[in-house]
Every structure is written in structure tokens, then in C-alpha cells.
Amino acid sequence: MTDVESIQILKDASAAIYGARGANLKLVSDNGCQPTSKSFMQSCHILGIVQIFTSYSNPKGNADTERMMRTIKEELVWTNEWDNQEEFGKAFSIWVDAYNSSYLHSSLGYLPPCTFELQEMERVAKARKDCTADRRD
């Protein structure tokens, strides 16, 4: 994969995530040639994405990311073929939407990520409101 392709995938993924999650996105990655390339790092900076690198020789430090990549490969990449990058990009966007809206996670109480995040945002908003009310009293 070229730097240009990596950057386009990053922009597509960022656009999908920013639509649902807002700002302050952090990207955890290993120290491989793609996430440490000058153009990839510049793109992260332009998009406002903070890069966090795992320590060297510590495979467990990036376990969540590696598991996510494995899921993407098993469910999308290895089971399909595309004629060009645009076809892959469309398929990836559809997969991300389905993953976030219907993929059940045991670590999230068997809720899909979007449902869990919405409940968490509501919980935090209520806690802030309660805290503000307590200060007024």
C-alpha cells in the first residue's frame, strides 16, 4: 500500500468516525513504516488526530488495534476482491457502519458500539447536569 492510499484510507475512516464521535481522536499504532511515514504523520496532524505509538517489542501494547485489524481482514478484506481503491473504500464504509450499529461486543455489555456510546454520552450528560445542580444548591 502506498502512502497516498494509506492517507486516503485514513481520511475516509476519520470522516466516518468524526461524523459520530466528534473531535479528540487518538490513533494507537505500532512503529511500522506506514504509521511513521512523513506523509501519514502529516495527514494525522492536518486531521487533528493525535498519534500514540506502542513501545518496541511489546506486542500486547497494540492488542486492541491488532484484533480490530484482524476482524476487518477476516470479515472484509480476505473474503472479497475489488477492482480499485474506490470500490474498497465504499465497501469499507458500509462495513464500518454495520460494525458500529450492529456488531455486539461482550466488553460493551453485548451492545453495538453506537448504542453503547450513546448510552455513555447520556450518562455523562446526566452526571454533569447533576453536578451543576449540586453546585447551585
Side-chain angles (χ1 to χ4, degrees):
M1 179 178 301
T2 67
D3 283 349
V4 172
E5 292 169 332
S6 296
I7 291 168
Q8 187 58 51
I9 289 171
L10 172 67
K11 286 180 180 178
D12 293 344
S14 178
I17 292 168
Y18 273 134
R21 302 201 68 188
N24 302 320
L25 184 64
K26 293 177 177 64
L27 175 66
V28 179
S29 62
D30 61 18
N31 293 278
C33 61
Q34 291 169 334
T36 59
S37 72
K38 186 175 183 179
S39 58
F40 191 87
M41 293 176 79
Q42 286 174 338
S43 293
C44 284
H45 178 74
I46 289 167
L47 294 168
I49 298 171
V50 176
Q51 283 187 280
I52 301 169
F53 295 98
T54 59
S55 57
Y56 288 97
S57 301
N58 181 15
K60 290 181 182 179
N62 204 24
D64 293 336
T65 302
E66 294 297 335
R67 183 62 182 107
M68 184 69 203
M69 295 307 297
R70 178 178 157 194
T71 299
I72 293 168
K73 290 175 184 178
E74 289 176 344
E75 296 185 9
L76 182 68
V77 176
W78 293 336
T79 58
N80 296 284
E81 292 185 20
W82 297 276
D83 291 327
N84 55 53
Q85 181 180 344
E86 289 77 25
E87 284 184 11
F88 173 77
K90 288 177 186 175
F92 181 71
S93 292
I94 291 167
W95 185 89
V96 167
D97 289 343
Y99 179 89
N100 285 329
S101 63
S102 61
Y103 201 97
L104 304 179
H105 291 265
S106 61
S107 64
L108 303 178
Y110 294 96
L111 296 172
C114 286
T115 303
F116 178 83
E117 187 166 34
L118 180 61
Q119 288 179 359
E120 185 64 13
M121 288 169 46
E122 289 170 350
R123 185 191 67 75
V124 169
K126 183 181 180 316
R128 286 182 180 158
K129 184 178 177 182
D130 292 347
C131 183
T132 303
D134 289 345
R135 288 183 188 162
R136 289 185 196 144
D137 294 339

